[in-house]
Amino acid sequence: AKEDEHMKVIGLLSGTSVDGIDAALVEISHSVGEHGPTFNVHQIAGKTVPWDTARKEIIFKTFTDNSTTSELCRANHSLGEAFGDAALELIQDSGVAKEDIALIGNHGQTVWHDVTQDGRVTSTLQIGDESVVSNRTGITTIGDFRVADVAAGGKGAPLIAMMDHLLLKPKGTDSWRAVQNIGGIGNVTFLPSSSSGVEPIAFDTGPGNMIIDWAAAKISGGALEYDRGGDLARQGVPNPSVVEAMLADPYYSMDPPKTTGRELFGHQYSAQWWERCKQAAMGDHDIIATFTEVTARSIALACKWCPGRLGDMVVGGGGGQNGYLMDRLREQLRVVLGHDVKVVGHEEHGLDSNMKEAVLFALLAYMTLHGLPGNVPACTGARAPTLLGKIAPGKNYTALIRQCALPFLLPAASGWPSWWPASGSSG
């Protein structure tokens, strides 16, 4: 196997909850052998930079049809400046010299993911332009990852499946592993054992923290942005009939691969169900407990799509910090699947639960630079493995290309996964 020299890469992301910019600095290397590439990913530093009030208001306005073209244009540039500043802040905090950072992977902020009623994704838009980031930092930046997958017939999500496949495959067991992210939206990757050769499966499970966060803000008059530890929900009792009514949404019965977002499960959705609950004379704490139960049960029901016996679940994202949600998830898994499922955090596997998606976009940027496709077609529905993202050259671009050119554009060996083509192929 031939091994690449270690490369320091920053990953940037603002998720559907719009809590802030997650920024992770990681060191990555990979080797190429007869069974495909093996990656080493080590997180050096990570932090969340909260959005300032003005930019947060701008972001939420872009989620609606009330945003004008000029406002969207200005937001794209302004958010690019913010992502660049977050990268610089992380570099300063880490103590690593800026000259030692080779690359930035910038997901940006999703403002619209256009999903038709039959589940097709026609287009997707993330703002916070990579050219602004590269200009502000001087570091070559790769961004706009989802568009390439959508252009190849995919859903543009969940892209996390690639990182889950590379770093979290279960070993020494015939059981499958679920890797569940609970951000604003929940998404799951079902991983077969590392020796099986079977393709992973991934899709969005439905709302994650989004509806719970909305209810927490409603109950507190805006004082709370989320239900810390599930303390509010723990004071209530879920309404089973409302839970089942909410889970009757057609999205849940659609076959994977599938994706969803704020367009379906955003503020309007939460407000409508809040009013229906109030008409049924439910108290505030019962409503947030019901919303929490919907998230827990939707995740458990999604596990019925797992092709084999589910042995354990690795949970990441902010939802993993909600103790009440985790308790309800364990119970719902037992009820739906008929057996106990071990639920743990990413930390048990050496990963930072809170920085996982930021690490993902560092990894995807690294893969694109090395000519490796970053999507998993079985998970996104794309026609073929595809190189993801657009490259915005920084001051280090020429040296970077000289460093990465050609060494890993090797033919695929027979032992590589059938869905992953030779390095350098974009399908």
Side-chain angles (χ1 to χ4, degrees):
K2 179 178 176 59
E3 183 167 340
D4 186 25
E5 63 181 274
H6 292 236
M7 181 176 286
K8 291 184 177 66
V9 187
I10 289 175
L12 302 170
L13 165 83
S14 177
T16 50
S17 296
V18 199
D19 301 319
I21 299 172
D22 291 338
L25 171 58
V26 296
E27 189 169 68
I28 308 175
S29 64
H30 79 285
S31 59
V32 177
E34 62 177 346
H35 296 295
T38 299
F39 289 81
N40 294 304
V41 180
H42 169 66
Q43 183 177 324
I44 299 171
K47 70 178 303 179
T48 297
V49 180
W51 285 110
D52 60 73
T53 302
R55 282 194 172 109
K56 196 166 189 175
E57 289 177 355
I58 289 171
I59 292 170
F60 277 103
K61 188 172 184 182
T62 64
F63 292 157
T64 72
D65 289 332
N66 297 325
S67 181
T68 65
T69 304
S70 59
E71 287 173 331
L72 187 61
C73 182
R74 288 193 289 269
N76 184 43
H77 195 98
S78 176
L79 266 61
E81 293 176 339
F83 282 110
D85 288 345
L88 292 173
E89 191 173 324
L90 176 66
I91 293 170
Q92 184 174 17
D93 289 355
S94 72
V96 175
K98 189 173 79 168
E99 294 73 23
D100 292 336
I101 310 297
L103 188 66
I104 294 174
N106 177 42
H107 171 268
Q109 173 71 60
T110 296
V111 296
W112 195 257
H113 199 66
D114 200 59
V115 186
T116 63
Q117 287 190 339
D118 62 359
R120 291 181 300 108
V121 175
T122 64
S123 56
T124 186
L125 180 61
Q126 288 74 44
I127 62 174
D129 195 86
E130 56 271 13
S131 292
V132 178
V133 177
S134 68
N135 185 272
R136 207 162 184 87
T137 62
I139 301 168
T140 296
T141 302
I142 301 179
D144 218 8
F145 295 93
R146 298 190 189 274
V147 175
D149 185 78
V150 173
K155 313 286 187 184
L159 297 182
I160 195 70
M162 176 59 77
M163 180 168 157
D164 291 339
H165 168 74
L166 293 173
L167 303 182
L168 288 170
K169 291 188 296 292
K171 299 176 182 178
T173 177
D174 293 330
S175 296
W176 286 63
R177 169 174 292 158
V179 184
Q180 177 73 47
N181 180 65
I182 310 178
I185 293 293
N187 58 69
V188 67
T189 306
F190 295 122
L191 297 171
S193 65
S194 56
S195 60
S196 70
V198 179
E199 292 181 332
I201 296 172
F203 55 92
D204 289 346
T205 54
N209 302 318
M210 189 177 292
I211 56 176
I212 304 170
D213 292 350
W214 188 93
K218 180 74 173 179
I219 291 170
S220 66
L224 297 175
E225 294 187 345
Y226 63 98
D227 186 9
R228 185 183 298 273
D231 291 344
L232 295 176
R234 204 181 295 276
Q235 298 175 54
V237 178
N239 184 312
S241 62
V242 175
V243 171
E244 292 309 309
M246 293 177 74
L247 291 173
D249 189 283
Y251 178 77
Y252 297 108
S253 59
M254 290 173 58
D255 294 344
K258 57 183 178 178
T259 186
T260 189
R262 187 175 291 277
E263 300 77 21
L264 179 59
F265 293 115
H267 287 183
Q268 185 176 2
Y269 172 87
S270 299
Q272 288 172 347
W273 277 105
W274 179 274
E275 289 306 314
R276 291 179 65 171
C277 291
K278 282 296 182 183
Q279 290 170 12
M282 290 175 59
D284 289 358
H285 293 103
D286 292 341
I287 298 175
I288 195 169
T290 298
F291 284 11
T292 303
E293 193 77 358
V294 167
T295 293
R297 186 161 175 79
S298 66
I299 292 171
L301 289 170
C303 290
K304 294 172 74 172
W305 292 104
C306 184
R309 180 181 173 86
L310 186 63
D312 65 339
M313 175 178 284
V314 183
V315 175
Q321 308 303 314
N322 183 326
Y324 176 74
L325 174 58
M326 290 299 97
D327 290 344
R328 297 310 305 153
L329 176 57
R330 289 183 178 92
E331 173 63 15
Q332 285 293 342
L333 286 168
R334 186 188 63 79
V335 169
V336 170
L337 300 181
H339 65 272
D340 290 332
V341 175
K342 183 181 180 182
V343 179
V344 300
H346 281 72
E347 283 72 15
E348 288 206 15
H349 296 275
L351 297 171
D352 184 342
S353 296
N354 297 317
M355 286 292 128
K356 182 185 174 185
E357 289 192 289
V359 173
L360 165 68
F361 290 102
L363 176 61
L364 291 181
Y366 175 95
M367 293 176 73
T368 294
L369 192 69
H370 288 82
L372 294 166
N375 64 339
V376 181
C379 299
T380 67
R383 290 183 294 271
T386 305
L387 292 171
L388 304 180
K390 302 181 179 78
I391 301 175
K395 293 179 180 178
N396 66 333
Y397 181 68
T398 301
L400 193 62
I401 291 302
R402 285 175 180 159
Q403 176 185 343
C404 296
L406 296 180
F408 292 96
L409 305 187
L410 305 175
S414 59
W416 283 42
S418 59
W419 49 269
W420 200 338
S423 302
S425 170
S426 63

